[in-house]
Every structure is written in structure tokens, then in C-alpha cells.
């Protein structure tokens, strides 16, 4: 058999393998618990799930044998009303992840730079390396705010093509104020504001897209609408740019089921927004309960998760130990190996009962070596 791996792109061949998430069924088997008993608070999913109207639309849709609309016209029309932006500015994707990839595909050639303001969503640097781009790091400050002056300096020095700002930021939960985004928009690069968690923050810069030729806003149905498994996201993109994205998008990127569920979700806003309000209220309750506990210091959050620093003993060791302690009780949370977050965990907001389970388990945690 001919050996062909030497024909691979050398930069792809050299990439570290990606660590995929473990599916629920396998997790349940590993933890020796039924799926229903697993408290899954590690990926910022919505514990209330999809709207009943979305589920009914999925059952009722009669045309699964037909390819989906490559222009996702019906969903874009529904989004116009939701966002109050022109249909021509909207393009949809299989999750906002696909839009991140599409934007990089459109802008980056090998050696081009992006600015990454870590700690932040890992897909920005991950995707950038697939385009052999340089990732210029401009870390967030001690309180996780953006360092706008340092971004401006890096923009001057490195001439990056684009900057990605998750707002609110994952995993810190920080919301960068509008005036900071406006300052970034003065810089000569594309500013991608990733608003995956905007519904939990109640603030958005989507209204600026029509006024600024270098602003793209990304949104998703994964978090507030409980459709993470169906993969529906969208970009609000200046008309001069969106035409180029249409040229390179896979024609059938958004499948029929995803489109139907998203349209039905937008028709069931009151139901879904009640759940968003519940999660916001639970965010405040969980925060207050965690603040009151020793050994753990939560950061204020505008999203559907809370980042916490573990202050007990060796923070890094304790962060891993607390993750394992929670996992032993069927509670999954996110733990990090990156140096800036090695002593941190991120807890997605769950239902009141799930959050009670977290609070109880954290309260019982005994750090290693004590
Ligand atoms: C900041 C941010 N952007 C985008 C995504 C991906 O969202 P989607 O499910 O729409 O691909 C996530 C998911 O965790 C995220 O945290």
C-alpha cells in the first residue's frame, strides 16, 4: 500500500490531535450512572433544552428528503425581526463555530496575523493555526478586561487582519463595554464580536453593523435557545463583506432540522426568554453561594457560567481535585490546563436543583494535603 502521509500539508501533519468531548452515553458508562443523573455543567449548554415548539416543528417537518435552502431565507427573515437588522446582513452556519472558520477562510493567508485576547474561547487560535496564521496574543488584564491600548499597539506593530472578542467572554464571563468595542472599530482590521452569550448579558453591538464596515457580530442558538446539538449560528455582517462569505460557504451548511428548530424557537421567544431569566437569577444565586464558601473565589459573570479561582493550597492541584470530587458525584464542570487558568474551574449555570448539587458538593470539598 502506498504511504501518503508525507503528502499532507506539513503544518497539518505537525498539529497536535484535537481532544474531542466525550459523548454523554460514554460519560454515563464511565461514571456508572444513568444519563439522567449526570449534572452536565461543563459546556455552557442550556439545562432547560429546546422550546416545545422547536421539538414539535422537528417532528412535523415533512421535507427531510429534500436538500435545505442554501440561503436559509426563512430563518434569515425570522432573524431580521429578532435583531432588527436587514436580511442582507445575515448569514447562517452550523453553529457560530462555522462562521469563525468562514471568516478566517475569507481573510487569512499563511503568515497573516489575528489578535487573540486570552483567556478566551479556544476556537480562535485553534482555527487560526489551520490557516497557518500567526496568533498575536494580547492578554486580558487582571480583572479579565480588554487591554485596548495594548491591542492598538499590537495592531500598529503586527498589522493583523482581524481580532476576535467574545462578549461576554468565555470563560471569564466578562462583558466589554460598548465604548471599548467602538475604540477597537477605529483600528484598521476586522473586529469580530462573538456574542454567543449576549442573551444572558442583555447587551449587544449588533446595531452597529450597519454603521461600521469592519464589524461582524456572531450569535448562536446553542446557549439561550437550547439547540447546541442541532448546530445553528449566524453572523451579522456588513453587506460589502457578506457577499464574499456567500461565495465560499458550503451550499448546504445549515441542515433542515436546524433551520426548522431555529425558526420555531424565534416564534417561541417568551418561553425561551423565561428560561434565560431563570438562568440569570440562578447565576446570581450560585455566585452568592460560592462567594460565601471558603477555598473558592467566583468571578462576576454576564454569561450562563461562572469562572472560579480555587484559592485552597496549591490552586492548580486543588482545581483538578475539585473537578474530580464533583465528577465522582456525577457533576461535570470545566477545568483548564492553560497557565492563566490552571487554578480555575468554570461551572455552567444549571437548574436550581443542579446548582444546589454543585453548592453542596463544593462545600464538602477537602483540598488535597489538608
Ligand atoms: C464564545 C463562544 N463562541 C462560539 C461558541 C460556539 O458556539 P456554537 O455552538 O454556535 O458553534 C462558543 C461555545 O462554547 C463560545 O463559547
Amino acid at each position: 500500500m502506498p504511504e501518503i502521509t508525507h503528502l499532507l500539508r506539513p503544518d497539518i501533519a505537525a498539529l497536535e490531535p484535537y481532544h474531542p468531548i466525550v459523548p454523554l452515553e460514554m460519560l454515563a458508562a464511565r461514571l456508572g450512572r444513568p444519563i439522567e443523573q449526570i449534572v452536565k455543567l461543563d459546556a455552557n449548554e442550556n439545562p432547560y433544552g429546546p422550546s416545545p415548539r422547536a421539538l414539535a416543528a422537528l417532528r412535523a417537518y415533512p421535507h427531510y428528503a429534500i436538500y435545505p435552502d442554501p440561503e436559509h431565507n426563512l430563518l434569515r427573515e425570522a432573524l431580521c425581526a429578532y435583531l432588527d437588522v436587514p436580511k442582507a446582513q445575515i448569514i447562517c452556519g452550523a453553529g457560530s463555530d462555522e462562521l469563525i472558520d468562514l471568516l478566517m477562510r475569507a481573510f487569512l493567508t499563511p503568515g497573516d496575523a489575528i489578535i487573540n485576547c486570552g483567556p478566551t474561547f479556544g476556537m480562535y487560535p485553534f482555527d487560526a493555526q489551520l490557516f497557518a496564521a500567526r496568533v498575536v496574543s494580547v492578554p486580558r488584564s487582571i480583572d479579565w478586561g480588554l487591554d485596548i491600548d495594548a491591542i492598538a499597539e499590537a495592531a500598529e506593530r503586527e498589522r493583523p487582519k482581524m481580532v476576535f472578542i467574545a462578549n461576554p467572554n468565555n470563560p471569564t464571563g466578562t462583558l466589554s463595554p460598548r465604548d471599548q468595542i467602538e475604540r477597537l472599530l477605529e483600528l484598521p482590521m476586522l473586529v469580530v464580536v462573538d456574542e454567543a452569550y449576549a442573551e444572558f448579558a442583555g447587551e449587544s453591538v449588533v446595531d452597529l453593523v450597519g454603521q461600521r464596515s469592519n464589524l461582524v457580530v456572531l450569535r448562536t442558538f446553542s446557549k439561550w435557545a437550547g439547540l447546541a446539538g442541532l448546530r445553528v449560528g449566524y453572523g451579522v455582517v456588513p453587506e460589502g463583506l457578506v457577499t464574499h462569505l456567500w461565495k465560499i460557504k458550503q451550499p448546504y451548511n445549515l441542515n433542515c432540522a436546524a433551520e426548522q428548530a431555529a425558526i420555531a424557537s424565534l416564534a417561541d421567544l417568551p418561553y425561551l426568554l423565561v428560561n434565560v431569566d431563570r438562568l440569570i437569577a440562578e447565576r446570581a444565586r450560585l455566585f452568592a453561594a460560592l462567594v460565601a464558601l471558603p477555598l473558592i473565589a467566583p468571578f462576576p459573570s454576564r454569561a450562563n457560567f461562572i469562572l472560579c479561582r480555587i484559592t485552597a493550597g496549591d490552586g492548580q492541584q486543588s482545581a483538578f481535585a475539585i473537578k474530580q470530587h464533583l465528577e465522582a458525584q456525577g457533576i461535570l464542570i470545566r477545568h483548564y490546563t492553560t497557565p492563566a487558568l490552571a487554578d480555575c474551574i468554570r461551572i455552567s449555570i444549571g437548574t436550581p436543583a443542579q446548582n444546589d448539587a454543585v453548592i453542596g458538593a463544593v462545600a464538602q470539598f477537602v483540598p488535597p494535603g489538608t
Side-chain angles (χ1 to χ4, degrees), residues 49-349:
S51 99
R53 283 175 77 163
L55 296 175
L58 288 170
R59 276 192 295 271
Y61 187 68
H63 302 304
Y64 287 124
I66 309 293
Y67 284 107
D69 170 11
E71 295 182 340
H72 17 264
N73 282 290
L74 297 180
L75 176 54
R76 284 165 61 224
E77 276 158 26
L79 281 168
C80 284
Y82 178 58
L83 301 168
D84 194 23
V85 303
K87 182 180 169 190
Q89 288 179 358
I90 303 170
I91 183 164
C92 302
S96 40
D97 280 349
E98 189 191 6
L99 277 312
I100 295 168
D101 177 81
L102 204 61
L103 285 163
M104 290 195 185
R105 220 170 262 269
F107 279 87
L108 298 179
T109 52
D112 285 343
I114 72 157
I115 292 186
N116 189 55
C117 304
T120 191
F121 186 44
M123 288 309 282
Y124 314 139
F126 174 82
D127 274 354
Q129 64 178 345
L130 304 184
F131 298 96
R134 286 180 298 127
V135 177
V136 176
S137 183
V138 182
R140 287 171 175 261
S141 59
I142 193 92
D143 62 354
W144 305 130
L146 292 174
D147 187 342
I148 301 290
D149 291 335
I151 295 174
E153 275 165 35
E156 173 79 28
R157 196 179 60 240
E158 307 278 352
R159 302 276 158 202
K161 291 265 182 90
M162 57 214 298
V163 59
F164 284 84
I165 306 293
N167 209 33
N169 186 39
N170 176 12
T172 62
T174 328
L175 185 77
S176 300
R178 191 180 173 90
D179 61 299
Q180 289 195 347
I181 304 293
E182 285 178 325
R183 277 191 62 198
L184 293 182
L185 289 167
E186 301 301 326
L187 301 172
M189 61 182 165
L190 178 69
V191 178
V192 182
V193 179
D194 180 345
E195 294 190 346
Y197 303 97
E199 281 80 359
F200 300 100
E203 284 182 39
S204 170
V205 292
V206 78
D207 57 296
L208 293 180
V209 172
Q211 304 161 31
R212 306 300 188 111
S213 57
N214 61 335
L215 171 64
V216 166
V217 173
L218 301 183
R219 303 282 285 266
T220 178
F221 284 79
S222 293
K223 316 295 180 179
W224 70 278
L227 298 184
L230 280 170
R231 316 300 302 126
V232 201
Y234 55 94
V236 185
V237 186
E239 286 177 42
L241 172 56
V242 78
T243 47
H244 298 288
L245 300 184
W246 284 112
K247 290 188 288 189
I248 57 171
K249 170 183 97 52
Q250 295 282 339
Y252 304 125
N253 60 332
L254 190 69
N255 71 66
C256 301
E259 186 174 14
Q260 290 307 311
I263 292 169
S265 299
L266 292 172
D268 205 6
L269 279 183
Y271 174 91
L272 288 169
L273 295 181
V274 165
N275 289 342
V276 168
D277 285 344
R278 284 189 178 127
L279 291 168
I280 291 171
E282 277 299 293
R283 177 178 74 199
R285 189 177 74 87
L286 180 61
F287 182 84
L290 293 174
V291 163
L293 291 176
L295 317 177
I296 187 163
F299 291 98
S301 169
R302 298 292 297 273
N304 67 337
F305 51 82
I306 297 179
L307 184 74
C308 304
R309 181 156 275 147
I310 308 303
T311 51
D314 173 338
Q316 189 168 341
Q317 230 187 356
S318 297
F320 185 61
I322 202 167
K323 174 202 153 71
Q324 286 186 310
H325 166 76
L326 293 170
E327 197 170 290
Q329 301 180 45
I331 303 169
L332 306 176
I333 50 112
R334 181 75 199 265
H335 154 264
Y336 298 89
T337 49
T338 45
L341 297 175
D343 57 353
C344 291
I345 58 170
R346 189 196 64 196
I347 308 170
S348 306
I349 310 297

Side-chain angles (χ1 to χ4, degrees), residues 1-9 13:
M1 266 193 288
E3 168 55 49
I4 49 91
T5 49
H6 64 286
L7 302 177
L8 279 165
R9 254 173 57 180

